[in-house]
Amino acid sequence: MPVFSKFKKQLYDKLLIGNNLEILCEKLHVCIVAILLTQNIPITFYRYTFTQFPLYLTWVNIAEISTYTFSLILFYKGKRELSIFVTAFGIPIIFIYLLFFSGLNIALVFSKSFWFLLCFKLIYIIILRRKITRYLYIIFCLSLYFIPGAIITYSYPEDLIKIIQILTLILIPYIISTFVEIQDTQISNLHSNLKLRLQEKLVLAIKLKNKNEELITFSHIMSHDLKSPLHAIISFSNLIKSGNNFSSAEQEKYFTYIEKSAISMSMLIDDLLIYSKIEAQQSELKLVKLNTIIEEVSSNFQFELIENNLMLNVSDLPLIKGDKLMLKTLFHNLISNSIKYQPKEKLSHRPTISISHQENSNNHFVFLEDNGIGIKETYISNLFVPFKRFHSDKEYEGTGLGLSICRQVMDKHGGSIELKSTSENGSLFKIIFPKK
């Protein structure tokens, strides 16, 4: 059985699979010729052996075998169109000769060969691809065989009825062939257009990849070149402040402004670098335990945990497919924001952040809830927009890129992040990780 299945698959691939309609028609022609040749050989031997069959039938079979064999040789030599013509026109020529030039009874020959030749003709109307070739083939068979044979074999009005039947039967495969050819042309044009567009997209993708690589390189160079003078400004500002007795508090305040502005600029450069890196980076998703991510991130907030009495409650979180570095950035930004935006006027206030998990058949849901100052309703629509800040530096420091980076990370994971609820008592963020 496995040998038969393998042979069947090979035969199917060779004879029935093709890139276009023309190739399929050529393969169909080979199948039909092979079948007719195979059935003619034993029939010819049988008719020749048993003398009750007329001798002319044997010669007809031999002529058919010769035509089919010659057609297959031409096909094997690569002359496929000529191979189809030889079979399509050769077989009707044999029967035309038999009908009118062999001296046999025309009515007998026509009635005996009519259905075979009609079926043969209907098949080759579909196989012949060019419209002009089909016209010539139809006219050739009608004028030299079917119409004269019907007129001679039948009396009026039977001959007229027979001709109408023949024309109707021929019209059906002609319509089918024309319709299929039109559809094939449309599909071929569509395929060519899609192929062209795909090539254009590939070229654009390569250009975009090169631009992204250039952008990453440029970002690293610029961040280094920009941060070097900022570090110098901060260092010299500290030196001046520590080594000078200012004549007025206002002078010291100016140096503090310089220092804070340089620090803010340095933070902005860091965030811009992270933003551009995540945008261009191809994420490598691996199985990651989110509790491990939170543990590693929380080590960056030891001061807040100890000095500010921060409470970080983390429940059992799921194992997901994700990029470890991106997820660290995500939770670092969210926890950092929750710590930053706490009420300053409540001295006894204890910052609390809770991270929990729910799931359904399609997604994991991670919730991050804090007891901070919340987010005003007018700000919610622009919450994840880059560089949108809702507080001055005097109130809360920041660059306006933290939450937009979080959304970027979730886009890379095929998930999303949203503000589930907010009030003056805190905010609740919902992070959605797809299971598939």
Side-chain angles (χ1 to χ4, degrees), residues 111-352:
S111 61
K112 292 288 185 181
S113 61
F114 170 76
W115 283 111
F116 168 75
L117 199 59
L118 181 61
C119 291
F120 183 89
K121 179 180 176 63
L122 297 181
I123 292 168
Y124 271 89
I125 288 173
I126 294 174
I127 290 175
L128 291 165
R129 296 302 342 127
R130 296 179 187 175
K131 191 178 288 187
I132 186 67
T133 307
R134 285 201 295 271
Y135 285 152
L136 291 172
Y137 185 61
I138 291 169
I139 293 167
F140 174 81
C141 293
L142 283 175
S143 60
L144 296 180
Y145 178 82
F146 287 105
I147 292 176
I151 292 171
I152 294 169
T153 304
Y154 301 98
S155 57
Y156 183 83
E158 288 182 348
D159 56 351
L160 183 61
I161 292 169
K162 184 62 70 175
I163 290 168
I164 292 170
Q165 288 176 336
I166 292 167
L167 290 172
T168 305
L169 287 170
I170 288 173
L171 185 63
I172 292 169
Y174 176 78
I175 291 171
I176 292 171
S177 181
T178 304
F179 175 77
V180 170
E181 199 168 55
I182 291 168
Q183 294 300 312
D184 181 62
T185 302
Q186 290 177 348
I187 291 169
S188 296
N189 291 337
L190 181 61
H191 180 263
S192 298
N193 290 334
L194 287 173
K195 192 175 179 180
L196 182 63
R197 288 183 184 181
L198 180 61
Q199 289 173 344
E200 290 173 352
K201 284 186 177 181
L202 287 172
V203 171
L204 288 173
I206 292 168
K207 288 182 178 178
L208 182 60
K209 184 183 177 183
N210 293 336
K211 288 292 182 185
N212 281 335
E213 289 174 354
E214 289 174 10
L215 180 61
I216 292 170
T217 305
F218 176 77
S219 299
H220 281 285
I221 293 169
M222 287 303 294
S223 65
H224 178 268
D225 290 349
L226 287 171
K227 288 185 76 172
S228 293
L230 287 173
H231 286 313
I233 291 169
I234 295 167
S235 299
F236 282 112
S237 177
N238 284 326
L239 283 172
I240 293 169
K241 281 172 66 179
S242 61
N244 285 277
N245 294 319
F246 293 99
S247 57
S248 67
E250 191 172 353
Q251 288 180 344
E252 186 174 0
K253 184 173 70 174
Y254 290 153
F255 274 94
T256 303
Y257 286 156
I258 292 169
E259 187 179 347
K260 283 188 175 181
S261 296
I263 291 169
S264 296
M265 187 65 181
S266 181
M267 289 169 56
L268 179 60
I269 291 168
D270 286 337
D271 281 351
L272 280 171
L273 186 60
I274 292 169
Y275 189 85
S276 62
K277 189 184 290 184
I278 291 174
E279 180 68 30
Q281 185 178 336
Q282 292 294 324
S283 55
E284 296 180 9
L285 304 184
K286 297 178 182 178
L287 285 175
V288 179
K289 180 70 173 174
L290 287 182
N291 285 92
T292 306
I293 297 292
I294 302 298
E295 284 174 16
E296 293 178 11
V297 169
S298 62
S299 64
N300 298 324
F301 300 103
Q302 288 302 311
F303 178 82
E304 287 81 3
L305 287 166
I306 297 169
E307 298 297 326
N308 294 348
N309 203 19
L310 170 66
M311 183 181 290
L312 183 61
N313 302 317
V314 184
S315 65
D316 188 30
L317 300 179
L319 188 72
I320 66 160
K321 270 199 168 185
D323 185 288
K324 192 173 181 180
L325 291 175
M326 288 190 187
L327 291 174
K328 279 186 176 182
T329 303
L330 168 75
F331 284 103
H332 182 278
N333 283 0
L334 288 172
I335 293 171
S336 177
N337 270 9
S338 294
I339 294 170
K340 184 194 305 180
Y341 295 107
Q342 293 287 329
K344 295 181 177 181
E345 67 279 0
K346 297 179 182 178
L347 299 177
S348 61
H349 179 77
R350 185 180 185 184
T352 303

Side-chain angles (χ1 to χ4, degrees), residues 46-55:
Y46 184 78
R47 283 176 174 171
Y48 180 75
T49 305
F50 292 90
T51 54
Q52 69 265 31
F53 289 102
L55 187 60

Side-chain angles (χ1 to χ4, degrees), residues 367-416:
F367 297 94
L368 190 145
E369 187 175 12
D370 64 47
N371 63 341
I373 61 173
I375 299 164
K376 290 183 180 179
E377 191 174 343
T378 52
Y379 300 153
I380 292 173
S381 59
N382 293 318
L383 192 60
F384 297 96
V385 178
F387 303 108
K388 286 288 184 179
R389 296 209 61 221
F390 311 118
H391 302 276
S392 66
D393 283 335
K394 289 182 180 179
E395 294 176 299
Y396 299 97
E397 291 181 351
T399 62
L401 280 170
L403 288 177
S404 60
I405 289 171
C406 292
R407 169 161 284 182
Q408 220 178 19
V409 169
M410 292 312 300
D411 287 343
K412 289 286 184 178
H413 285 76
S416 62

